[in-house]
Amino acid sequence: KEKKSWSLSNFDIGRPLGRGKFGNVYLAREKESKFVVALKVLFKKQIHESNVEHQVRREIEIQSHLRHPHILRLYGYFHDDARIYLILEYAPKGTLFKELQSQPLKRFNEPTSAIYIRSLASALQYLHERDVIHRDIKPENLLLGHKGDLKIADFGWSVHEPNSMRTTLCGTLDYLPPEMVQGKPHTKNVDLWSLGVLCYELIVGRAPFLATDYDETYKKIIKVDYKLPEFVSRAAAHFISKLLVLNPQQRLPLDQVFLHPWVAAHIK
Ligand SMILES: Cc1cc(Nc2nc(/C=C/c3ccccc3)nc3cc(N4CCN(C)CC4)ccc23)n[nH]1
């Protein structure tokens, strides 16, 4: 069917949901259908100045063709002279980052964590089958649908949550694998490392290579220097140790992730 062309006049704009480097994300509603969406506004000037036009085009091209329950939908886009607007799926339960912070112990129990990890692994498998890699899977970029189900939302460009200290404090090194922090070419196995980092963070409540400064974090990443607290089960510890592996080729492949006892044990 013919793609409808959208414009700002089709939408009622609601509250801002978050602030990005290239613009903000707003709650919005399409006037005719009353369909609620998230409208991501990117400023052409800033995109041009940061020379990321190609990246924005790539993001739009890739994300608009993806259809998976754990990947946030991009329904369409439009632009005016100053801005590009992305019409995105609205995830009503916010970011996993906020959900993690709202936990009494700032961490999830292992069954909950395993369900999040399993959802992510199925989204990554879908992406890898389509040769799409390196989706920024840190908690700030993961949203929760109305059933609390995970959605990878690739906000892409160094986004600053309204009050998440992380982006300012530790920068984005936390989730990057050794091959990326050393500027080597990266393969889809970077996502396996990030899955391990996320798993650690959900269960422990902080990133495995967290350090006071950039260089400290860098050194810990390239030495794969992390410790697991006592309360982490042996099955979880084993699972994490199979993903946080220096050599990208030796990381547990996604089809093995689903078979690992720690992940398989918590299938409802
Ligand atoms: C694209 C998108 C966002 C989205 N939903 C939401 N995004 C963001 C924060 C978004 C954001 C955007 C840019 C930079 C940083 C954060 N925060 C949200 C917070 C929400 N609430 C309602 C539920 N509360 C428990 C927490 C606060 C709900 C939806 C949110 N659906 N689709």
Side-chain angles (χ1 to χ4, degrees), residues 15 17-19 25 38 72 89-92 94-95 143 155 159 161:
R15 74 175 180 94
L17 292 167
R19 277 192 309 282
V25 179
L72 200 77
E89 176 184 355
Y90 175 60
T95 65
L143 289 166
F155 297 116
V159 142
E161 275 234 285

Side-chain angles (χ1 to χ4, degrees), residues 88-138:
L88 291 159
E89 176 184 355
Y90 175 60
K93 290 207 166 152
T95 65
L96 187 65
F97 182 75
K98 285 259 180 67
E99 180 66 12
L100 189 58
Q101 281 183 320
S102 70
Q103 300 303 306
L105 294 174
K106 307 285 179 212
R107 55 188 163 91
F108 296 113
N109 62 43
E110 293 194 12
T112 304
S113 303
I115 291 165
Y116 283 138
I117 290 301
R118 216 172 139 275
S119 306
L120 271 174
S122 75
L124 289 176
Q125 195 167 47
Y126 174 88
L127 291 175
H128 288 186
E129 280 160 8
R130 288 157 184 74
D131 290 327
V132 176
I133 57 167
H134 191 46
R135 312 297 292 182
D136 232 344
I137 60 172
K138 50 184 183 281

Side-chain angles (χ1 to χ4, degrees), residues 235-251:
H238 180 265
F239 177 68
I240 290 168
S241 74
K242 289 292 171 196
L243 292 169
L244 298 186
V245 174
L246 189 61
N247 179 340
Q249 265 71 27
Q250 287 166 358
R251 291 169 196 157

